[in-house]
Amino acid sequence: MIRIISSAIGAAFVFVLAIALFGSIKGQITDPVKATAVDDFHLAPKEVELKSNGYFGTFDKRQLQRGLQVYKEVCSACHSLSHVAFRDLKELGYNDAQVKKFAADWQLKAQTFDDKSGDRGERPNVPSDHFPKVYYPGTGSPPDLSLITKAREEGPAYVHSLLTGYTKEPAALLAKYPDSKTPDGLYYNPYFANLNIAMPPPLTQDGQVTYLDGTKSTVDQMAKDVTAFLVWTAEPNLETRHDAGFAAGIFLLIFCFLAWGAYQNVWRDVKH
């Protein structure tokens, strides 16, 4: 009798779950979600070749220095880099004097506060300071770029594709979705989440930045360099992590070999 009652309760429970499941998907069956312009015209980021890619990736310091130059001359007016200290730039190959001058010459100064008078002021940045934050009172600030390649899916590819992806709305988009015209003040970019982005194209022409090392500064090259730099800001210890992972892998292989040898030695005289 108890078994019959238990079976009945179980069947009733399954029946209720089935009704709930059908109710949750009924709308999608009878009235499926219609495709939107984003579904049809949003593009996945294109792969970008960087030395930091892969399990054994490393940083190209010359490229990182070029990327820093692009950030300084193109991006820094709008985007902060507040998780990076000026002294961290020594890892890119700069010496103490260069870092000190770079910090002191930075366009935004460090903020000071006098506890006694309550007055705020400014002073030149020093190597121990982080890059000052960029503020836009009343309008909100654009994203901080320190961790952008970790904060976005397919981070490096996304950043590079976004920077080089500005274009005019395709005629097919307007023909299929007449209401999807890019609003005034926004810019069409098929790699952005909703196709329309408020940031104007930051890299507009070849030669926009004159590289100190003489590299030809095409739009694609500048986008790659600043992307590589932002990979470094998000994970400056990438090379160390890769080296540690490689060493750990070698250790595990040796340990497995020694364990196998010990096993063979201990059991060699045991007859099966």
Side-chain angles (χ1 to χ4, degrees), residues 226-247:
V226 76
T227 298
F229 173 69
L230 294 176
V231 171
W232 174 79
T233 64
E235 193 173 9
N237 296 321
L238 177 140
E239 291 178 321
T240 302
R241 178 171 63 81
H242 285 178
D243 290 343
F246 180 73

Side-chain angles (χ1 to χ4, degrees), residues 38-47 153-154 157-162 189-192 195:
V38 173
D39 297 326
D40 289 345
F41 290 88
H42 181 257
L43 300 179
K46 300 174 293 186
E47 288 296 326
E153 185 176 1
E154 300 183 72
Y158 169 79
V159 171
H160 178 264
S161 295
L162 188 74
N189 192 316
Y191 297 100
F192 192 63
L195 306 181

Side-chain angles (χ1 to χ4, degrees), residues 35-188:
T36 65
V38 173
D39 297 326
D40 289 345
F41 290 88
H42 181 257
L43 300 179
K46 300 174 293 186
E47 288 296 326
V48 56
E49 292 294 330
L50 299 175
K51 285 195 67 176
S52 56
N53 291 350
Y55 296 113
F56 303 102
T58 59
F59 288 124
D60 180 343
K61 290 187 177 181
R62 288 185 61 186
Q63 184 174 44
L64 297 185
Q65 291 180 6
R66 294 196 302 268
L68 172 61
Q69 187 179 349
V70 175
Y71 168 75
K72 178 182 179 181
E73 297 184 22
V74 178
C75 311
S76 62
C78 299
H79 293 278
S80 301
L81 207 65
S82 58
H83 292 285
V84 181
F86 288 104
R87 62 186 173 193
D88 295 334
L89 300 181
K90 291 175 63 177
E91 297 180 25
L92 306 189
Y94 297 107
N95 59 38
D96 290 329
Q98 289 173 316
V99 171
K100 185 176 182 179
K101 185 178 188 307
F102 188 91
D105 292 344
W106 193 251
Q107 59 267 31
L108 290 178
K109 303 303 180 183
Q111 301 296 310
T112 61
F113 181 77
D114 190 318
D115 293 332
K116 294 182 179 180
S117 66
D119 294 335
R120 293 184 179 275
E122 295 182 341
R123 62 165 174 77
N125 297 289
V126 296
S128 59
D129 290 327
H130 284 68
F131 281 75
K133 289 186 177 181
V134 180
Y135 291 103
Y136 284 81
T139 61
S141 298
D144 187 294
L145 297 184
S146 307
L147 304 174
I148 194 68
T149 58
K150 290 293 185 183
R152 299 292 185 270
E153 185 176 1
E154 300 183 72
Y158 169 79
V159 171
H160 178 264
S161 295
L162 188 74
L163 291 175
T164 58
Y166 287 87
T167 184
K168 293 182 178 180
E169 295 168 287
L173 169 65
L174 297 178
K176 189 172 182 179
Y177 302 100
D179 295 334
S180 296
K181 182 175 175 58
T182 299
D184 292 339
L186 299 182
Y187 303 86
Y188 180 79

